[in-house]
Amino acid sequence: MAWDRNQMAARAAKELRDGYYVNLGIGIPTLVANNIPDGMTVTLQSENGMLGIGPFPYAGEEDPDLINAGKQTISELPSSVYFSSADSFAMIRGGHIDLTVLGAMEVAENGDIANWMIPGKMIKGMGGAMDLVAGVKKIIVVMEHTSKNGDPKFIPACTLPLTGRNAVGMIVTDLAVFQRPDPVTPFELIEMAPGVTIAEIAAKTTAHFRVEGAIGRT
């Protein structure tokens, strides 16, 4: 049985560590905010100028002026601070963010990521993804394993315009988790959703990855 969106976010949240400064991308990654382990202090940062983001507000308690970079309503904490987007990007570019969780349309087996545009389709802008993949210490991608039409999204080489090269260290999909310890080591399958088999993952993946230390897709 594949993981749902919240379960994917909860799995990504297991990579958080006490004291981390973390940036969450739009889509599934925003759900990580609701899955921070109890007793752990993690400070969430947003490109639009906020440090210290709380969970999503309860229905009826939303403040339309309090939003994240994806324009979703959020809550604040007693420790929240506000500043310009220029200062926010300075934090990112200066290497002060420990981890970012991003969505993606494609991830290549060498860690390339494409998540900001599809040629021919109108976009609102590239956002902060290119700065994040260049300036943040660890990049986790959370995405559906395949596109809406069933095409694999973890592939040998990205076909869409790149956000960054050789940047991704972990991939969490609805079927599995892949990880690599460094930029030159191939991704390894380290976890599967309940009931999902290696054969199913292989059928829905064109990228090469390791299984128990052996390179391959089966």
Side-chain angles (χ1 to χ4, degrees), residues 24-25 33 52 73 76 108 112-113 119 123 131 148 174 180 184 189 199 213:
L24 302 178
T73 53
E76 63 180 357
D112 291 353
I113 175 175
I123 60 169
D131 297 273
K148 291 181 180 179
D174 53 324
R180 60 180 185 158
V184 298
L189 174 64

Side-chain angles (χ1 to χ4, degrees), residues 22 24 66 80 106 117 148-149 172 187 197:
V22 178
L24 302 178
L66 192 59
S80 297
E106 293 178 342
M117 74 166 296
K148 291 181 180 179
N149 60 8
V172 180
F187 281 96
T197 65

Side-chain angles (χ1 to χ4, degrees), residues 6-7 22 43 46 58 80 152 155 159 163 165 170 182 199 210:
N6 191 65
Q7 289 170 320
V22 178
T43 304
S46 181
Y58 293 109
S80 297
I155 56 182
T159 62
T163 306
R165 295 185 182 275
M170 174 177 278
D182 55 67
R210 291 181 181 270

Side-chain angles (χ1 to χ4, degrees), residues 2 22 43 46 110 113 116 134 139 168 171 174 189-191 200 214:
V22 178
T43 304
S46 181
N110 69 346
I113 175 175
W116 73 281
I139 313 298
V168 179
I171 306 167
D174 53 324
L189 174 64
I190 64 168
E191 191 173 338
E200 180 181 358

